[in-house]
Amino acid sequence: MSQTLVPEIQTALLKTLKQLLQDQTQQTPLLLDGDSVDQLLNSKKIYNAYYDLAEQIYVLMGFQLEQSAAFQHSLLRCILEQGRLPIYISNAENINSAESSQPLFDHTQMMQNPDTDALESIDQLDFLDELYLSPPVEPETELSFINNSFVATPLMTTSLLLSSTTDNGSNNTDHNHNNASGKPNHEVKMVKKMPHFQIPNARVGQDYQARIQMQYPVKEDVLICSESIKIPEDLGIVFDDQAQQLQGIPLQAGEFKLAFQYKNNEAAQAWSSGEVTFIITADPRSLWQVNEPDINEPYQKAHSDHQLIQTEHFNLAACSQRGRSHEHAGTFRDDDFLIARVAETDWSVLIVADGAGSASYSRQGSLLAVQSAAKTLTDYLEQYHAHLDSLLLQWQVGSDDEMTKSVAQQIYKDFHDTFYKTAQVAIETIEQEAELKQVAAKAYATTLLVAVVKQCEQKTFISTFWIGDGAIAVYAKDKVRLMGKPDGGEFAGQTRFLDRSFAQQFASRVNIGYYDDCEAVILMTDGISDPRFETDAGLANHEKWQALWQEIEPQLQQSHPEQALLEWSKFFSAGHHDDRTLAILWNKPVITDVEDVVHD
């Protein structure tokens, strides 16, 4: 019996064989004839060994893999779903024809076409990386998103019962000498494949309904005797005789062997015995550990923080929560924030920063960046807010008259220069700290997202500086305005950080706007933007912002909105376990005095 491998597995297996057959001292392949290569490539035993490697990787790393949103598109998962290839040898076949005469795949065309040769550039192959993650799925052309939630699907393998035939004297063939053709005989191993059953995996805490299905010798549902199947009482699962299925909410994880009696159809006279392996996976949330950092580490930092500022017409709130990945690893929160109101004015400053996870002291880098930036900006606003207010009085919101254009250009220049100074001072502050520690400044790498806001009763002016990932937006009921764009790298998780290269294309990092329909100004690190928006295209999707606002707004109505936001930020999203930081300014609703309402 033959089985076709999917193209991705074919290519990876070819690359692996090439690597194994390569002379590492000369970086050249061993010289083998075409028949020898064919024999290797079409060997089910070699493929099954390849599968066994993938299975062992999954056994050792299954927990980490399930947390990766990319795992569902990975080659490793593809190999596991392909499963082992059954090897069936009848006693009428010679051992040399044990493998199917039908090749697993035809590699001839690949070998003849150098442009598509799956075996070339093997020196650049990182085999385990190829197993671990395949290239990411490209976003759709329209403003949509890729659902990244990992949903476990059964990764079942075929069970084979191997037995060797013995010569009991009734067979005329002499296995130890020659056959009638004069060629040596080989001992032939028989494969007796028993009836095989499967049932989809379950997960602790999730509603489950599924039928046991025969996979071999035919794939079909069977009639199961409800009294014969024994299920542990504390499992949370029962067998429904009428629906002929297992159902319930699993209470514990594990692998359970369920024996039962079955019939292929109701007309059958006798019951047969069967067994199925029922796998219940743990709730991923229960697998996360909460570990404390080393108390001797420098730059100790609280695992969470929050702040609230209330004014007559608007409020500011911010929160920051250590991510599950940091909890599990026993490391500190790398994010930081700062919100401030300039006294006796309508001007405010909101800042969030995300320290690089790969940088040793990024938790301090984010703290230094927000504190330094806040001081530079509040000092500027305290000195020049009257000048800015006079300019804004000449700005007609929604108009493009010459006066408005001129005012906008002047204000933009003022903030461009101010943000340039802000970034310079923040970098110098970090460099000074690095020099004291005698380490490279990149050990303090951090992003920096800043918003300066003047919030009047009906109008919102905003100027922003944005370097790194995350998001800054002005939210309105019918429109969302992104105040810049995130710095994404070639691969997921890559971004830019605040360093001396910030001057490159600096003007594109500064934006201003003046609006009369603003409900809130929102800043967030990628710990929130990634699970809620997925891609850069997602950040431009108004429906996603509306969905986020529906989650956030109820928290703002609480008596302690900053604490409510902090609790909200602990939401679980598979594959997204980074620190989460949010800063928000929102308008208080205008309340009409009842006495001022004129009744007809």
Side-chain angles (χ1 to χ4, degrees), residues 371-381 418-419 421-423 425-426:
Q371 290 181 342
S372 171
K375 185 178 187 312
T376 303
L377 291 169
T378 53
D379 287 350
Y380 168 76
L381 291 170
T418 302
F419 281 132
K421 178 182 177 182
T422 299
V425 173

Side-chain angles (χ1 to χ4, degrees), residues 353-367:
D354 178 5
S358 59
S360 304
Y361 300 140
S362 63
R363 58 187 178 276
Q364 186 69 5
S366 61
L367 175 64

Side-chain angles (χ1 to χ4, degrees), residues 179-376:
N179 58 23
S181 66
K183 295 182 180 180
N185 285 308
H186 300 271
E187 181 179 359
V188 180
K189 287 189 175 182
M190 298 297 295
V191 178
K192 182 181 180 183
K193 190 171 181 182
M194 302 299 291
H196 178 61
F197 296 86
Q198 286 184 358
I199 190 167
N201 293 358
R203 174 167 288 178
V204 171
Q206 294 186 5
D207 185 59
Y208 182 80
Q209 296 179 349
R211 298 191 64 160
I212 298 173
Q213 189 179 62
M214 177 181 283
Q215 298 295 308
Y216 180 87
V218 292
K219 186 174 181 179
E220 64 180 3
D221 292 329
V222 293
L223 179 66
I224 293 176
C225 176
S226 60
E227 297 178 356
S228 69
I229 186 167
K230 304 301 181 185
I231 304 173
E233 294 182 359
D234 57 350
L235 202 58
I237 294 291
V238 298
F239 183 79
D240 185 307
D241 184 46
Q242 183 175 0
Q244 281 286 297
Q245 67 181 13
L246 270 66
Q247 59 187 41
I249 300 179
L251 302 176
Q252 58 177 295
E255 184 175 306
F256 306 91
K257 298 289 186 181
L258 305 182
F260 52 86
Q261 300 291 311
Y262 73 95
K263 293 180 180 178
N264 291 80
N265 55 71
E266 295 184 5
Q269 296 297 316
W271 295 91
S272 300
S273 295
E275 183 181 74
V276 69
T277 300
F278 181 40
I279 298 175
I280 303 176
T281 60
D283 183 342
R285 285 168 284 192
S286 69
L287 299 177
W288 289 101
Q289 300 175 10
V290 179
N291 297 308
E292 293 301 316
D294 186 344
I295 59 174
N296 297 315
E297 282 288 312
Y299 307 126
Q300 297 281 313
K301 196 171 199 176
H303 299 331
S304 64
D305 194 9
H306 54 77
Q307 185 182 358
L308 175 67
I309 298 175
Q310 296 178 308
T311 74
E312 181 181 359
H313 300 300
F314 62 91
N315 291 335
L316 298 109
C319 65
S320 185
Q321 174 64 42
R322 181 171 73 147
R324 287 183 177 85
S325 58
H326 288 280
E327 289 181 345
H328 195 76
T331 54
F332 291 100
R333 170 171 58 96
D334 289 328
D335 280 12
D336 222 305
F337 71 84
L338 194 149
I339 54 175
R341 180 196 178 193
V342 179
E344 307 301 324
T345 74
D346 294 322
W347 289 90
S348 301
V349 176
L350 300 89
I351 310 174
V352 300
D354 178 5
S358 59
S360 304
Y361 300 140
S362 63
R363 58 187 178 276
Q364 186 69 5
S366 61
L367 175 64
L368 293 174
V370 299
Q371 290 181 342
S372 171
K375 185 178 187 312
T376 303

Side-chain angles (χ1 to χ4, degrees), residues 479-548:
K479 188 173 184 179
V480 174
R481 302 171 179 92
L482 278 180
M483 301 302 296
K485 62 181 181 178
D487 288 296
E490 182 180 355
F491 303 102
Q494 288 188 330
T495 189
R496 288 186 59 115
F497 298 108
L498 183 66
D499 56 29
R500 290 289 175 180
S501 67
F502 81 93
Q504 299 174 5
Q505 300 179 329
F506 183 81
S508 65
R509 301 187 180 280
V510 178
N511 285 283
I512 64 171
Y514 203 11
Y515 311 110
D516 58 7
D517 59 351
C518 169
E519 293 187 49
V521 173
I522 305 173
L523 290 77
M524 68 188 76
T525 59
D526 66 337
I528 293 177
S529 62
D530 281 357
R532 286 298 180 258
F533 297 95
E534 303 289 346
T535 64
D536 291 353
L539 282 172
N541 189 324
H542 184 249
E543 292 181 357
K544 291 183 182 298
W545 281 101
Q546 286 182 318
L548 178 65

